Every structure is written in structure tokens, then in C-alpha cells.
Amino acid sequence: MKLLQELFAQGFLTEKMLNDLKTQSAKLGKTEEEIILSKNIVSEDFLFGLKSKISGVPLKKIDAEKVSSDVLELIPEEASVNYKMASVEKDGKSVLIGMVYPEDIAAQNALRFLANQENFTYQICLITPGNLANLSKQRKNISSETKKALESLSEESGKIFDAPKKKFAAETITEDAPIIKMVLVILRHALEGNASDIHIEPGRDKLNVRFRLNGILYLSLSLPLKVHPAIVARIKILSALKIDENRMPQDGRFSVKINNSDVDFRVSTFPTLYGEKVEIRVLDPSTGARSFEDLGMTGRSLEVVKAAIKKPYGMILFTGPTGSGKTTTQYAILRILNQDSVNIVTVEDPIEYSIAGINQSQVKPEIGYTFARGLRQILRQDPNIIMVGEVRDEETASLVINAALTGHIVLSTLHTNSSVGVIPRLIDMGVRPFLIPSTLKVVISQRLIRVLCPHCKIKVRPSEKIKSYILEKIKNMPASAKSEVKIEEPLFIYAAKGCEVCGFLGYSGRMGLFEVLSMSDELAELMQTSLLESMIFKVAQKQGMLTMEQEGILKVLNGQTTIEEVIRATEEK
């Protein structure tokens, strides 16, 4: 208990905390380090710096990307996981071993045995659990894993490489184990890296694999163009698509068990100049199960939405560009409404996430099954709550209005630039103005912004230009929101830096910017005289509605994101 005692001596722990942590460590069978880090008492770097001083073992911070796979493989993966150690440097027969617990007798014995087996001498240094995790990731690095698969493929299936112009049967190509492994490696790394999309793109001389992380595309891997037909064929087999059809786009989906979790993937193929491009959407179930707070909805916006979904009928419309998180927000509402006492039916294009207890249907325009046709059929299914993927035409608009009038809660999306543009758009689609106040309850417009990594964000003073921009936006906020903003001098905001935890991006995850328009008597009266967006906006601001830009400023002041992210997301409006 030397670490706990030292933290107590330095004033980080009270006597009660010290005794409680000792008890927890003994009861849970966890190490001092695990208990301390789980309570966020001190940072990992500080804790292991302290451990280094106590133990006399030097602490080293290892750049995982600079450690070759040959060096890492000197310690087998199973031993690395069990004994929390990794080989990090090699000079001739001398190897530097990084250990999280160098005091562990079992780990020392295992290391001594491995050194005798592999005929190397070793020295020990102390590394942090985070550093070990990064070394483990490097061991499973997508480039090294696919390189091994390529080597196996070239050995086992030389015909693909030796005669790239020859046409092979899809069955022959896709039965190759290396190709199966290569596709699985790509999928696993996308999931572990929290990518939302995988783009497999053939070019003139190579095949690029790009991941979309936090809304931004990054090149992750380049492969020989010769493996493109095999990879596409494997994905098509998984998705039950036509393998011999490469002239027309196709859509499908499949499910794979990765890291003991069933994950769905939605697939779209698209013919290009150099072959079929494949786009794979990662449908991680945990993403579809997020709460309003996780999505970034707070304050008045959250109160208005929660009040709307408690009403027995009415329409909630969502607006925003593709990829702005509308479907995820709709699912957050459906999960709250999903009770045994109600019948929820959806018609979607496509079904993003499968939710137990909800009857989900996917449109198929090629056979005439459209949103309008599906909605007419839904109304015969005795629903309480209806979700329609999108209001695209006059017929669908009329049907969702009638569904809301006849006692149903209706969720749907509409393409406009802002929440105040929804009312004029509905009227353009043939909806009578007097029907809107009695059916439309809330309009939610949204965009997605990247969230600052909590481990490395840094406090900075904004330039005079940015400071003026922030103060101007606060000045124009509704009085109710402005009263809650506290500006201190000097003004500080946060900036992205980058660390090992966030992959040196400076950002970790995304959240929404929301603009929530609530129907009111004043707004209903205005609709009888004016349908100008500017007039609707004035009434909405008077009621306390924040624009996405204004809400973004609040998130900047709270240290959740950067001013650059807010400008990037809102200037598209």
C-alpha cells in the first residue's frame, strides 16, 4: 500500500479516503493503481511517476507507433495481456521490457522463462496502463495485420497476383482465408476506432481504405489494387448482394460478431471508373441507445422536447443535412416512448438500428413500396406512435398531418436549412396553414460538432476577433439564456491539442447543436398573417429559442468544443 500511503502523505487523500480505498482494494481484488485511477484522484502520469520514485524502476513513455511488430512479438500477446508487459526496444540480444507491475513475482518468472526460450537478455522499465494499451493497439495495427494477410494471400493465391487481368470465379476468390481475415481486420479496426463509416475506394494504381472519424475522413490503409475484386466479393457475400453485378449500385447489410458484440453494417456499392466503390456504415448498437444528454441536448431545448413527447398526439419534425444525427435523435425519443402499452410502427429508408419492441419496416421504391404507401398501411396497424423516415412529397405530408390529427404521435424528417423554415415548407407541400398549429408540436433542427478530448484540451485566451464574435452572439441571445451566461475577465476558452487517448486528433466523439422551435399561440396567430421566416424567427427568439450558433457558443464556454467547430457546423446553414 505504498502508493496510497504516499498520496496520503502528500495530502491527496484524507484518512477516511485512505482506509476506504484500502478496503475496496482488498474486497475487489484490484491493485492500488487500478483503485486510484478509477477514482480520478491523480492523473496516470503523476501516479506512475510517483511509483517510479518509490520502486526505483525508471518510467519511460514509449511512442507505440515507433515500435516495430518484430519487437512487440518477442513477448506473446497472451503473456502481454496476462502480465501487463511488452517488449519495446531491441539492441542485438538485449531487449527493453516495459512493465506496469514490475513488482509482480509471477510476471518476473514468466519474463525469465520467455528470455530463456527466445535467448535474449533484458532490462526493465515502468510503463503506464495507457501506454501498454497503445502498444497492444500497435500490435493489432491495421497495416501490420493486413500486410500479414497479403503475404498469406500471395502465397496461397498466387494466381490472383500473377494474372490480375484474368477473371476468376467469385467463389474461388472469396474462399481464401486471408481475404476473409483482411475484411474482418478492416471492420474490427473501424469499430475499435469509433469510425462511423468505411470507404473502400479503387484508384488508378491502389486501393484506399478510409475511415470517417467524428465526421472527418482519414486515409487508414492503402492496398494493392489486385485485391480489390476479392475484397468486394467477400463483402457482397456477407451482404447477400449479387456478386456478378458490378455495373449497377447495390444496397445490403450484414451482422458480424466482433469483440463479443454483434455489430450491424450497412453496405452500399457504387460503380466508378476504376471499379466498384464500397461504403460501409458501422451501426454500433451503443450509438443508437444514447440519451438526450449524451447527444448534447440541454437547457430549454431538452425541456421543450421532453414536454412534447409527453403529449398524447402531435407531430415532431426533424431537419438537417444528411449525417447530422437526426435518426439517432429520433431513436432516443422512441426508446423513451417504447413501452408495453403502446404500439410503435416505423417506415424507414433504411433501418439504421434494430430496436426490440418496435415494428420497423423498410421502404422499397423499386417495387412501389414508398413512404406514402407504407404510412397508409401503418394506419391500419392500430399504431400509437409512428415514425416516417422522411416527408418527401405532398402525399406523405398530407398523411402525416392527418395521422397527427387523429391522435397519433408522429416523428419524421423534412429537408430545410433551419427550424423556422419548416412551416413555410409544409405549406409549399400543400398543407393548409390552419392545420399546422393543431398538429405540429416541435421542430428540431440539428448539426453535429466534434467534442474536445477531455484528456488533452488546453485553456487558451481567444484573439480579439474571436472574443468579439463570442460577445456579439451572447448579446443577441434570448434574455432567459443570456442571464445564465457568466463572462469573466480575462476570458478563456479551450483548444484542441492531441494525445494518445484521442489518436492525436484533439477531439473525442461528437455531440449535437440543436435549434428547437415550439408551437405556441403567438406563433399560431402569426401564421394567419405572415409566413416569413424572419417573422417566425423573431417570435421563436422571444419564446427563448437558441439558434445552433448561439447554443454552440455556450458549449464553447463550457469547454466542450472549439469555436472553429461551431463555425464549421453552422456556416453551412
Side-chain angles (χ1 to χ4, degrees):
M1 296 291 173
K2 290 181 180 178
L3 279 173
L4 288 172
Q5 291 289 358
E6 186 62 31
L7 289 175
F8 172 68
Q10 293 191 21
F12 288 99
L13 301 174
T14 63
E15 190 169 351
K16 184 180 184 305
M17 290 171 66
L18 174 66
N19 292 329
D20 288 346
L21 291 174
K22 284 181 179 179
T23 302
Q24 287 180 39
S25 179
K27 187 176 180 180
L28 299 174
K30 289 187 175 183
T31 64
E32 282 185 288
E33 293 87 341
E34 289 173 327
I35 289 288
I36 294 165
L37 292 175
S38 70
K39 301 295 182 183
N40 291 318
I41 296 166
V42 292
S43 70
E44 186 179 77
D45 288 341
F46 180 87
L47 180 65
F48 276 76
L50 196 61
K51 180 172 179 175
S52 176
K53 289 178 183 177
I54 293 171
S55 66
V57 180
L59 175 66
K60 289 204 73 171
K61 198 170 184 77
I62 308 297
D63 186 344
E65 293 186 359
K66 291 182 180 178
V67 183
S68 69
S69 58
D70 292 341
V71 172
L72 284 170
E73 286 170 8
L74 288 171
I75 300 292
E77 186 175 5
E78 188 177 353
S80 179
V81 171
N82 287 340
Y83 300 112
K84 309 296 181 192
M85 62 183 178
S87 41
V88 295
E89 286 179 16
K90 187 174 185 290
D91 183 10
K93 286 194 172 184
S94 178
V95 179
L96 180 65
I97 306 294
M99 302 183 77
V100 176
Y101 303 110
E103 70 278 11
D104 184 355
I105 302 299
Q108 289 282 6
N109 290 337
L111 179 57
R112 195 175 297 111
F113 174 79
L114 287 168
N116 288 332
Q117 288 285 102
E118 299 297 328
N119 192 26
F120 64 78
T121 60
Y122 61 87
Q123 291 181 316
I124 293 171
C125 69
L126 186 65
I127 58 173
T128 66
N131 209 171
L132 180 66
N134 287 326
L135 288 163
S136 298
K137 283 182 184 177
Q138 177 66 7
R139 182 193 288 270
K140 296 179 180 179
N141 182 282
I142 186 169
S143 298
S144 62
E145 287 198 69
T146 50
K147 182 181 176 183
K148 288 178 185 176
L150 281 170
E151 288 170 356
S152 301
L153 184 63
S154 60
E155 291 170 8
E156 297 177 21
S157 310
K159 57 188 178 183
I160 297 177
F161 290 91
D162 296 337
K165 293 181 182 178
K166 185 178 175 183
K167 213 170 185 180
F168 295 99
E171 291 81 3
T172 304
I173 295 173
T174 53
E175 283 171 4
D176 290 318
I179 284 294
I180 294 172
K181 183 178 179 182
M182 197 180 300
V183 171
L184 187 60
V185 165
I186 291 170
L187 297 177
R188 177 164 55 78
H189 278 272
L191 184 66
E192 290 176 351
N194 296 317
S196 61
D197 297 85
I198 306 165
H199 293 254
I200 299 172
E201 304 166 325
R204 183 186 294 274
D205 53 10
K206 61 184 176 180
L207 177 67
N208 288 330
V209 178
R210 295 196 290 169
F211 292 166
R212 187 177 293 280
L213 304 172
N214 299 327
I216 309 296
L217 272 174
Y218 297 94
L219 179 64
S220 296
L221 181 68
S222 290
L223 296 169
L225 192 58
K226 300 166 187 178
V227 302
H228 172 250
I231 288 178
V232 173
R234 175 61 186 163
I235 293 169
K236 282 184 174 180
I237 285 176
L238 287 171
S239 312
L241 301 178
K242 295 178 181 176
I243 300 171
D244 57 349
E245 177 57 80
N246 53 22
R247 299 166 300 168
M248 294 286 290
Q250 296 186 71
D251 292 312
R253 65 190 294 150
F254 64 92
S255 181
V256 173
K257 198 174 191 71
I258 298 177
N259 297 339
N260 297 317
S261 176
D262 288 319
V263 183
D264 291 336
F265 297 89
R266 196 180 77 219
V267 176
S268 172
T269 67
F270 186 75
T272 68
L273 179 62
Y274 298 109
E276 284 182 285
K277 177 187 183 299
V278 179
E279 200 281 341
I280 304 174
R281 171 65 58 87
V282 183
L283 303 175
D284 186 355
S286 62
T287 303
R290 297 176 72 184
S291 66
F292 289 131
E293 290 79 3
D294 291 336
L295 296 173
M297 189 180 290
T298 56
R300 175 194 173 272
S301 298
L302 181 58
E303 291 173 8
V304 168
V305 172
K306 283 187 172 180
I309 63 178
K310 287 179 181 177
K311 294 178 180 177
Y313 67 91
M315 188 162 58
I316 301 173
L317 288 180
F318 298 79
T319 180
T322 302
S324 60
K326 300 186 297 295
T327 303
T328 303
T329 308
Q330 285 178 308
Y331 282 139
I333 291 175
L334 287 181
R335 286 182 184 279
I336 293 173
L337 297 174
N338 189 11
Q339 306 290 332
D340 289 339
S341 57
V342 297
N343 178 24
I344 303 177
V345 188
T346 75
V347 54
E348 307 172 52
D349 183 24
I351 296 171
E352 293 274 359
Y353 303 101
S354 173
I355 306 176
I358 296 179
N359 306 288
Q360 298 171 266
S361 178
Q362 182 166 317
V363 299
K364 296 179 181 177
E366 65 272 16
I367 61 171
Y369 181 37
T370 61
F371 281 124
R373 189 167 181 178
L375 185 51
R376 278 198 299 271
Q377 200 63 37
I378 280 178
L379 294 171
R380 300 189 184 103
Q381 291 289 319
D382 185 32
N384 302 101
I385 299 157
I386 300 167
M387 186 177 99
V388 182
E390 185 183 344
V391 178
R392 292 178 179 171
D393 50 46
E394 188 174 326
E395 184 181 8
T396 310
S398 175
L399 286 167
V400 294
I401 289 288
N402 285 328
L405 277 172
T406 52
H408 303 91
I409 296 175
V410 181
L411 280 66
S412 191
T413 65
L414 191 67
H415 279 292
T416 62
N417 288 329
S418 64
S419 58
V420 296
V422 164
I423 293 172
R425 177 71 178 131
L426 285 173
I427 292 169
D428 286 343
M429 297 178 83
V431 176
R432 296 177 182 179
F434 68 86
L435 291 175
I436 295 176
S438 56
T439 54
L440 183 62
K441 301 303 178 188
V442 167
V443 178
I444 303 171
S445 184
Q446 67 182 86
R447 302 288 190 276
L448 287 177
I449 55 169
R450 292 183 291 173
V451 178
L452 280 167
C453 173
H455 300 279
C456 65
K457 64 181 181 180
I458 53 174
K459 211 171 186 180
V460 296
R461 291 186 65 175
S463 65
E464 284 302 316
K465 185 178 179 181
I466 290 177
K467 183 178 178 180
S468 299
Y469 171 80
I470 292 172
L471 295 176
E472 182 65 25
K473 297 304 173 185
I474 293 172
K475 181 181 175 183
N476 295 327
M477 283 181 184
S480 56
K482 196 188 304 183
S483 62
E484 296 179 9
V485 180
K486 294 180 181 179
I487 298 294
E488 297 179 356
E489 288 294 343
L491 177 64
F492 284 100
I493 57 175
Y494 286 86
K497 182 185 177 185
C499 65
E500 290 180 348
V501 177
C502 63
F504 299 96
L505 299 175
Y507 296 93
S508 178
R510 289 191 290 175
M511 65 166 51
L513 290 181
F514 298 93
E515 186 177 281
V516 179
L517 173 68
S518 177
M519 184 55 66
S520 64
D521 293 339
E522 192 176 355
L523 203 52
E525 280 182 35
L526 176 67
M527 288 173 57
Q528 307 306 314
T529 57
S530 173
L531 293 172
L532 291 173
E533 286 189 28
S534 57
M535 295 299 293
I536 297 172
F537 178 74
K538 284 181 181 178
V539 173
Q541 283 254 290
K542 187 179 176 183
Q543 293 172 355
M545 184 189 81
L546 286 171
T547 65
M548 283 182 279
E549 199 172 20
Q550 290 168 340
E551 189 177 89
I553 294 298
L554 295 181
K555 285 180 165 61
V556 168
L557 295 175
N558 288 336
Q560 294 170 289
T561 190
T562 61
I563 199 75
E564 291 81 10
E565 271 298 290
V566 174
I567 293 171
R568 180 187 66 81
T570 57
E571 69 182 1
E572 299 168 357
K573 282 183 60 179

